[in-house]
């Protein structure tokens, strides 16, 4: 029987953040991370499948559940319902993780293997949102385009939020990122 | 000295498409693909690093070079310059690959490992476009958001183009996809 290990996930994630920053991602092993966290490798693998998963916590599933719940229960239009869901999930899951998220962003930007894992996570969020929109009877191609647009908004807001000089909450930055996306894609006046 | 093997890439890709479709991606090995193409495994690995790379041809590099060239030489605004680049690259590289692209789309949709490779390819195109825009002195965050928007347009246009009932060219579908993106992200009139 596994012992109960208080906050094992948080301890492993903090240990990984420290080791990746000080000795580099490549030179850090799962054994190092577990040791630094005062846990066994076996505990590590109870929570994470591989080394590259350690910075992508179980919060992801909760985040996706909240977004899905908000889309399903919303009377707003498709994109607005997703934006609202991302805002609620920002408050309930992500806002308290800001300090770790700032440290994590620098590591992801510097580590191709973590970028791939980050892409997988965005792809999974896209698929979850697209399914929730199809369940609201949006046509599949429109659901996919709306989901991809929403994930682009989320990625943009996350980049702003993980800038150490930014002091607005992720909830506030999500509509700000949507406005930036609108201004990028709006028609050049000379075209019309 | 390697023998000259006419159209080795095309032969390997066609063999892979056939084998993946008939016996499944998982059950197909590099040895099967090489044998079906009348080539050796060694030839295979001269062109592709892994099994999952076989459907992502060397056309990718040429495609990216054309997009970069068009962005650098353009007097258009940022997004319009990228859209123009994607249209030129569509004509010069992709249009003639339509039959393979339709078969490939079905395989990617059914195979998580190929979806990951497809994501990597989109991420690489995003990075290439963002760099070309930074080289035009666009601020890094604006360059990234514009590049991600453009890749979303490209992905949407590619999905339309690989629908067997679609008869417009990829060049024509790219601005069509941009119009769809605009309509997804435009402000709900009730918000203003």
């Amino acid at each position: 029987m596994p012992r109960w290990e208080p906050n094992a996930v948080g301890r492993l994630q903090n240990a990984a953040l420290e080791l990746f920053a000080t000795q580099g991602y490549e030179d850090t092993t799962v054994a190092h991370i577990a040791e630094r966290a005062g846990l066994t490798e076996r505990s590590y693998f109870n929570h994470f499948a591989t080394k590259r998963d350690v910075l992508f916590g179980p919060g992801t599933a909760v985040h996706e559940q909240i977004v899905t719940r908000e889309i399903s229960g919303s009377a707003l239009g498709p994109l607005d319902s997703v934006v609202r869901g991302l805002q609620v999930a920002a408050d309930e899951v992500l806002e308290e993780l800001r300090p770790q998220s700032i440290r994590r962003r620098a590591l992801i930007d510097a580590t191709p293997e973590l970028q791939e894992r980050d892409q997988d996570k965005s792809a999974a969020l896209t698929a979850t949102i697209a399914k929730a929109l199809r369940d609201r009877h949006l046509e599949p191609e429109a659901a996919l385009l709306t989901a991809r647009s929403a994930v682009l908004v989320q990625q943009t807001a996350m980049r702003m939020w993980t800038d150490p000089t930014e002091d607005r909450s992720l909830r506030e930055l999500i509509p700000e990122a949507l406005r930036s996306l609108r201004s990028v894609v709006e028609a050049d006046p000379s075209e019309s």
Side-chain angles (χ1 to χ4, degrees), chain A:
Chain A
M1 290 258 307
R3 291 178 299 148
W4 181 66
E5 292 161 336
N7 193 22
V9 166
R11 283 157 63 192
L12 290 164
Q13 290 185 321
N14 282 330
L17 276 168
E18 284 165 23
L19 291 169
F20 293 167
T22 52
Q23 67 188 42
Y25 177 82
E26 287 299 330
D27 291 337
T28 300
T29 65
V30 166
H32 296 153
I33 298 169
E35 187 188 355
R36 174 82 162 222
L39 296 166
T40 61
E41 277 191 74
R42 184 171 172 160
S43 297
Y44 182 96
F45 289 114
N46 283 338
H47 298 287
F48 303 106
T50 67
K51 181 173 79 171
R52 71 176 195 162
D53 290 333
V54 68
L55 297 187
F56 301 85
T60 304
V62 179
H63 183 271
E64 289 189 9
Q65 282 158 19
I66 294 168
V67 176
T68 299
R69 181 192 76 202
E70 294 295 315
I71 295 169
S72 314
S74 174
L76 296 169
L79 185 65
D80 287 337
S81 74
V82 184
V83 165
R84 180 68 56 87
L86 292 170
Q87 288 183 292
V88 173
D91 279 349
E92 294 188 19
V93 179
L94 297 172
E95 197 58 42
E96 67 181 20
L97 301 174
R98 187 170 193 165
Q100 300 94 300
S101 299
I102 290 172
R103 290 200 290 164
R104 201 178 71 156
R105 165 61 47 201
L107 282 167
I108 292 175
D109 283 349
T111 315
E113 206 174 318
L114 294 175
Q115 285 162 31
E116 283 181 18
R117 184 65 186 75
D118 203 36
Q119 287 164 33
D120 293 346
K121 193 176 147 187
S122 293
L125 180 60
T126 303
T128 297
I129 293 171
K131 179 174 186 317
L133 290 170
R134 291 196 306 273
D135 289 347
R136 279 183 57 174
H137 309 296
L138 202 64
E139 181 268 317
E141 295 304 320
L144 181 60
L145 179 56
T146 305
R148 284 179 165 166
S149 303
V151 170
L152 180 43
V153 167
Q154 171 79 359
Q155 289 170 324
T156 304
M158 290 285 288
R159 283 202 82 83
M160 297 161 82
W161 181 67
T162 51
D163 176 341
T165 66
E166 174 61 60
D167 56 14
R168 286 168 290 179
S169 67
L170 183 55
R171 165 184 278 274
E172 292 170 281
L173 291 167
I174 288 169
E176 181 70 23
L178 176 56
R179 282 188 287 275
S180 297
L181 175 59
R182 278 181 189 142
S183 94
V184 163
V185 304
E186 76 191 357
D188 185 321
S190 68
E191 285 175 32
S192 49

